[in-house]
Amino acid sequence: MVNRAKKGAERSLRDLLRRRLEQLDISQVELARRAGFNAQYISDILTGKKHSVRRDAVFQLALALQVSPLVLYRTVDPSFGEEKPVLYTDKREIA
């Protein structure tokens, strides 16, 4: 579950959903149907009543909104995808 405690991230997800609904000319009910959710779930996200969104829900919403899942993940968690790869080395000395 992704916590959207940061107000900026929360507004960004709501704004993105609203913008895409308008661009696609679809209703909240249609988005809910396409994403496999009930309409109340979408309404709760858009009104700010829903304060966390599961990662699988973000993926489903991205597909329904025809955007890259990374776009939505980054609105929910701005640091998503910024992890630096960890390099493991063998600490044995070479003789």
Side-chain angles (χ1 to χ4, degrees):
M1 188 174 293
V2 179
N3 187 351
R4 294 185 294 144
K6 296 178 184 174
K7 292 289 184 191
E10 186 174 322
R11 279 192 304 271
S12 294
L13 179 62
R14 290 190 329 222
D15 291 346
L16 180 63
L17 262 61
R18 285 190 183 113
R19 190 168 51 252
R20 287 301 293 159
L21 286 171
E22 186 176 314
Q23 289 170 344
L24 296 171
D25 194 28
I26 61 173
S27 67
Q28 292 179 32
V29 173
E30 178 60 16
L31 174 59
R33 185 193 68 75
R34 291 181 184 189
F37 301 123
N38 64 46
Q40 187 62 51
Y41 185 80
I42 301 300
S43 177
D44 288 350
I45 293 171
L46 291 170
T47 60
K49 291 180 185 175
K50 188 92 177 121
H51 296 289
S52 62
V53 180
R54 296 182 331 264
R55 288 187 189 263
D56 60 320
V58 172
F59 186 77
Q60 288 172 257
L61 285 169
L63 292 176
L65 292 168
Q66 301 171 10
V67 297
S68 166
L70 287 177
V71 171
L72 281 187
Y73 278 126
R74 287 189 181 133
T75 63
V76 174
D77 180 4
S79 65
F80 183 83
E82 293 180 4
E83 298 87 13
K84 303 287 185 227
V86 177
L87 298 176
Y88 295 96
T89 59
D90 188 348
K91 295 188 181 204
R92 292 179 288 165
E93 288 191 35
I94 300 175

PDB file of all heavy atoms in Angstrom, residues 68-86:
ATOM      1  N   SER A  68       1.231   5.675 -18.587  1.00  0.00           N
ATOM      2  CA  SER A  68       2.241   4.774 -18.054  1.00  0.00           C
ATOM      3  C   SER A  68       2.032   4.606 -16.550  1.00  0.00           C
ATOM      4  O   SER A  68       1.806   5.599 -15.843  1.00  0.00           O
ATOM      5  CB  SER A  68       3.627   5.348 -18.310  1.00  0.00           C
ATOM      6  OG  SER A  68       4.595   4.678 -17.535  1.00  0.00           O
ATOM      7  N   PRO A  69       2.128   3.395 -16.042  1.00  0.00           N
ATOM      8  CA  PRO A  69       2.028   3.209 -14.596  1.00  0.00           C
ATOM      9  C   PRO A  69       3.047   4.040 -13.830  1.00  0.00           C
ATOM     10  O   PRO A  69       2.767   4.514 -12.737  1.00  0.00           O
ATOM     11  CB  PRO A  69       2.285   1.713 -14.405  1.00  0.00           C
ATOM     12  CG  PRO A  69       1.875   1.099 -15.693  1.00  0.00           C
ATOM     13  CD  PRO A  69       2.231   2.121 -16.740  1.00  0.00           C
ATOM     14  N   LEU A  70       4.219   4.285 -14.418  1.00  0.00           N
ATOM     15  CA  LEU A  70       5.238   5.105 -13.745  1.00  0.00           C
ATOM     16  C   LEU A  70       4.738   6.516 -13.482  1.00  0.00           C
ATOM     17  O   LEU A  70       5.074   7.120 -12.472  1.00  0.00           O
ATOM     18  CB  LEU A  70       6.520   5.150 -14.565  1.00  0.00           C
ATOM     19  CG  LEU A  70       7.353   3.880 -14.572  1.00  0.00           C
ATOM     20  CD1 LEU A  70       8.560   4.045 -15.474  1.00  0.00           C
ATOM     21  CD2 LEU A  70       7.767   3.498 -13.177  1.00  0.00           C
ATOM     22  N   VAL A  71       3.940   7.045 -14.394  1.00  0.00           N
ATOM     23  CA  VAL A  71       3.394   8.392 -14.209  1.00  0.00           C
ATOM     24  C   VAL A  71       2.552   8.435 -12.942  1.00  0.00           C
ATOM     25  O   VAL A  71       2.702   9.328 -12.116  1.00  0.00           O
ATOM     26  CB  VAL A  71       2.554   8.821 -15.435  1.00  0.00           C
ATOM     27  CG1 VAL A  71       1.807  10.107 -15.163  1.00  0.00           C
ATOM     28  CG2 VAL A  71       3.442   8.957 -16.656  1.00  0.00           C
ATOM     29  N   LEU A  72       1.675   7.452 -12.779  1.00  0.00           N
ATOM     30  CA  LEU A  72       0.826   7.425 -11.584  1.00  0.00           C
ATOM     31  C   LEU A  72       1.623   7.088 -10.335  1.00  0.00           C
ATOM     32  O   LEU A  72       1.393   7.684  -9.287  1.00  0.00           O
ATOM     33  CB  LEU A  72      -0.320   6.432 -11.744  1.00  0.00           C
ATOM     34  CG  LEU A  72      -1.508   6.901 -12.561  1.00  0.00           C
ATOM     35  CD1 LEU A  72      -2.628   5.870 -12.495  1.00  0.00           C
ATOM     36  CD2 LEU A  72      -2.017   8.242 -12.128  1.00  0.00           C
ATOM     37  N   TYR A  73       2.540   6.140 -10.437  1.00  0.00           N
ATOM     38  CA  TYR A  73       3.352   5.797  -9.261  1.00  0.00           C
ATOM     39  C   TYR A  73       4.092   7.023  -8.748  1.00  0.00           C
ATOM     40  O   TYR A  73       4.209   7.241  -7.556  1.00  0.00           O
ATOM     41  CB  TYR A  73       4.358   4.700  -9.581  1.00  0.00           C
ATOM     42  CG  TYR A  73       3.790   3.305  -9.543  1.00  0.00           C
ATOM     43  CD1 TYR A  73       3.933   2.463 -10.626  1.00  0.00           C
ATOM     44  CD2 TYR A  73       3.118   2.828  -8.433  1.00  0.00           C
ATOM     45  CE1 TYR A  73       3.420   1.170 -10.598  1.00  0.00           C
ATOM     46  CE2 TYR A  73       2.595   1.545  -8.396  1.00  0.00           C
ATOM     47  CZ  TYR A  73       2.755   0.728  -9.484  1.00  0.00           C
ATOM     48  OH  TYR A  73       2.238  -0.542  -9.450  1.00  0.00           O
ATOM     49  N   ARG A  74       4.603   7.837  -9.650  1.00  0.00           N
ATOM     50  CA  ARG A  74       5.358   9.018  -9.233  1.00  0.00           C
ATOM     51  C   ARG A  74       4.462  10.098  -8.634  1.00  0.00           C
ATOM     52  O   ARG A  74       4.931  10.900  -7.838  1.00  0.00           O
ATOM     53  CB  ARG A  74       6.177   9.561 -10.391  1.00  0.00           C
ATOM     54  CG  ARG A  74       7.350   8.649 -10.675  1.00  0.00           C
ATOM     55  CD  ARG A  74       8.311   9.241 -11.668  1.00  0.00           C
ATOM     56  NE  ARG A  74       9.394   8.297 -11.895  1.00  0.00           N
ATOM     57  CZ  ARG A  74       9.845   7.964 -13.083  1.00  0.00           C
ATOM     58  NH1 ARG A  74       9.326   8.508 -14.160  1.00  0.00           N
ATOM     59  NH2 ARG A  74      10.826   7.098 -13.211  1.00  0.00           N
ATOM     60  N   THR A  75       3.185  10.131  -9.012  1.00  0.00           N
ATOM     61  CA  THR A  75       2.293  11.096  -8.365  1.00  0.00           C
ATOM     62  C   THR A  75       1.960  10.645  -6.950  1.00  0.00           C
ATOM     63  O   THR A  75       1.744  11.460  -6.071  1.00  0.00           O
ATOM     64  CB  THR A  75       0.979  11.313  -9.139  1.00  0.00           C
ATOM     65  OG1 THR A  75       0.243  10.110  -9.180  1.00  0.00           O
ATOM     66  CG2 THR A  75       1.238  11.851 -10.520  1.00  0.00           C
ATOM     67  N   VAL A  76       1.945   9.339  -6.741  1.00  0.00           N
ATOM     68  CA  VAL A  76       1.638   8.787  -5.420  1.00  0.00           C
ATOM     69  C   VAL A  76       2.881   8.815  -4.538  1.00  0.00           C
ATOM     70  O   VAL A  76       2.812   9.122  -3.357  1.00  0.00           O
ATOM     71  CB  VAL A  76       1.101   7.347  -5.550  1.00  0.00           C
ATOM     72  CG1 VAL A  76       0.910   6.717  -4.190  1.00  0.00           C
ATOM     73  CG2 VAL A  76      -0.212   7.343  -6.315  1.00  0.00           C
ATOM     74  N   ASP A  77       4.023   8.495  -5.119  1.00  0.00           N
ATOM     75  CA  ASP A  77       5.280   8.445  -4.373  1.00  0.00           C
ATOM     76  C   ASP A  77       6.365   9.084  -5.238  1.00  0.00           C
ATOM     77  O   ASP A  77       6.945   8.417  -6.098  1.00  0.00           O
ATOM     78  CB  ASP A  77       5.626   6.998  -4.047  1.00  0.00           C
ATOM     79  CG  ASP A  77       6.928   6.852  -3.276  1.00  0.00           C
ATOM     80  OD1 ASP A  77       7.547   7.881  -2.923  1.00  0.00           O
ATOM     81  OD2 ASP A  77       7.329   5.703  -3.026  1.00  0.00           O
ATOM     82  N   PRO A  78       6.623  10.377  -5.050  1.00  0.00           N
ATOM     83  CA  PRO A  78       7.582  11.081  -5.901  1.00  0.00           C
ATOM     84  C   PRO A  78       8.964  10.442  -5.961  1.00  0.00           C
ATOM     85  O   PRO A  78       9.699  10.639  -6.921  1.00  0.00           O
ATOM     86  CB  PRO A  78       7.664  12.476  -5.288  1.00  0.00           C
ATOM     87  CG  PRO A  78       6.386  12.641  -4.550  1.00  0.00           C
ATOM     88  CD  PRO A  78       6.027  11.256  -4.059  1.00  0.00           C
ATOM     89  N   SER A  79       9.348   9.678  -4.959  1.00  0.00           N
ATOM     90  CA  SER A  79      10.669   9.058  -4.968  1.00  0.00           C
ATOM     91  C   SER A  79      10.666   7.717  -5.688  1.00  0.00           C
ATOM     92  O   SER A  79      11.712   7.092  -5.836  1.00  0.00           O
ATOM     93  CB  SER A  79      11.166   8.871  -3.538  1.00  0.00           C
ATOM     94  OG  SER A  79      10.334   7.947  -2.846  1.00  0.00           O
ATOM     95  N   PHE A  80       9.501   7.262  -6.170  1.00  0.00           N
ATOM     96  CA  PHE A  80       9.421   5.959  -6.834  1.00  0.00           C
ATOM     97  C   PHE A  80      10.339   5.937  -8.048  1.00  0.00           C
ATOM     98  O   PHE A  80      10.345   6.832  -8.862  1.00  0.00           O
ATOM     99  CB  PHE A  80       7.992   5.650  -7.277  1.00  0.00           C
ATOM    100  CG  PHE A  80       7.844   4.296  -7.892  1.00  0.00           C
ATOM    101  CD1 PHE A  80       7.684   3.189  -7.085  1.00  0.00           C
ATOM    102  CD2 PHE A  80       7.894   4.126  -9.256  1.00  0.00           C
ATOM    103  CE1 PHE A  80       7.566   1.930  -7.639  1.00  0.00           C
ATOM    104  CE2 PHE A  80       7.775   2.868  -9.816  1.00  0.00           C
ATOM    105  CZ  PHE A  80       7.615   1.769  -9.007  1.00  0.00           C
ATOM    106  N   GLY A  81      11.131   4.886  -8.133  1.00  0.00           N
ATOM    107  CA  GLY A  81      12.022   4.703  -9.271  1.00  0.00           C
ATOM    108  C   GLY A  81      13.354   5.423  -9.146  1.00  0.00           C
ATOM    109  O   GLY A  81      14.173   5.352 -10.043  1.00  0.00           O
ATOM    110  N   GLU A  82      13.574   6.106  -8.034  1.00  0.00           N
ATOM    111  CA  GLU A  82      14.829   6.832  -7.862  1.00  0.00           C
ATOM    112  C   GLU A  82      15.856   6.056  -7.054  1.00  0.00           C
ATOM    113  O   GLU A  82      16.917   6.567  -6.762  1.00  0.00           O
ATOM    114  CB  GLU A  82      14.573   8.178  -7.181  1.00  0.00           C
ATOM    115  CG  GLU A  82      13.779   9.132  -8.040  1.00  0.00           C
ATOM    116  CD  GLU A  82      13.531  10.450  -7.358  1.00  0.00           C
ATOM    117  OE1 GLU A  82      14.037  10.666  -6.239  1.00  0.00           O
ATOM    118  OE2 GLU A  82      12.816  11.269  -7.943  1.00  0.00           O
ATOM    119  N   GLU A  83      15.517   4.835  -6.669  1.00  0.00           N
ATOM    120  CA  GLU A  83      16.456   4.049  -5.878  1.00  0.00           C
ATOM    121  C   GLU A  83      17.709   3.799  -6.691  1.00  0.00           C
ATOM    122  O   GLU A  83      17.660   3.518  -7.879  1.00  0.00           O
ATOM    123  CB  GLU A  83      15.853   2.693  -5.477  1.00  0.00           C
ATOM    124  CG  GLU A  83      14.627   2.798  -4.607  1.00  0.00           C
ATOM    125  CD  GLU A  83      13.341   2.935  -5.403  1.00  0.00           C
ATOM    126  OE1 GLU A  83      13.361   2.701  -6.629  1.00  0.00           O
ATOM    127  OE2 GLU A  83      12.331   3.294  -4.814  1.00  0.00           O
ATOM    128  N   LYS A  84      18.811   3.935  -6.044  1.00  0.00           N
ATOM    129  CA  LYS A  84      20.094   3.662  -6.692  1.00  0.00           C
ATOM    130  C   LYS A  84      20.363   2.160  -6.605  1.00  0.00           C
ATOM    131  O   LYS A  84      20.101   1.536  -5.580  1.00  0.00           O
ATOM    132  CB  LYS A  84      21.224   4.418  -5.985  1.00  0.00           C
ATOM    133  CG  LYS A  84      21.011   5.908  -5.938  1.00  0.00           C
ATOM    134  CD  LYS A  84      21.226   6.507  -7.301  1.00  0.00           C
ATOM    135  CE  LYS A  84      21.127   8.010  -7.223  1.00  0.00           C
ATOM    136  NZ  LYS A  84      20.329   8.612  -8.214  1.00  0.00           N
ATOM    137  N   PRO A  85      20.852   1.576  -7.667  1.00  0.00           N
ATOM    138  CA  PRO A  85      21.149   0.150  -7.605  1.00  0.00           C
ATOM    139  C   PRO A  85      22.252  -0.133  -6.588  1.00  0.00           C
ATOM    140  O   PRO A  85      23.179   0.651  -6.433  1.00  0.00           O
ATOM    141  CB  PRO A  85      21.612  -0.196  -9.022  1.00  0.00           C
ATOM    142  CG  PRO A  85      21.963   1.094  -9.644  1.00  0.00           C
ATOM    143  CD  PRO A  85      21.193   2.174  -8.931  1.00  0.00           C
ATOM    144  N   VAL A  86      22.103  -1.214  -5.909  1.00  0.00           N
ATOM    145  CA  VAL A  86      23.107  -1.610  -4.924  1.00  0.00           C
ATOM    146  C   VAL A  86      24.066  -2.562  -5.609  1.00  0.00           C
ATOM    147  O   VAL A  86      23.658  -3.539  -6.229  1.00  0.00           O
ATOM    148  CB  VAL A  86      22.444  -2.310  -3.710  1.00  0.00           C
ATOM    149  CG1 VAL A  86      23.494  -2.781  -2.728  1.00  0.00           C
ATOM    150  CG2 VAL A  86      21.458  -1.366  -3.050  1.00  0.00           C
TER     151      VAL A  86
END
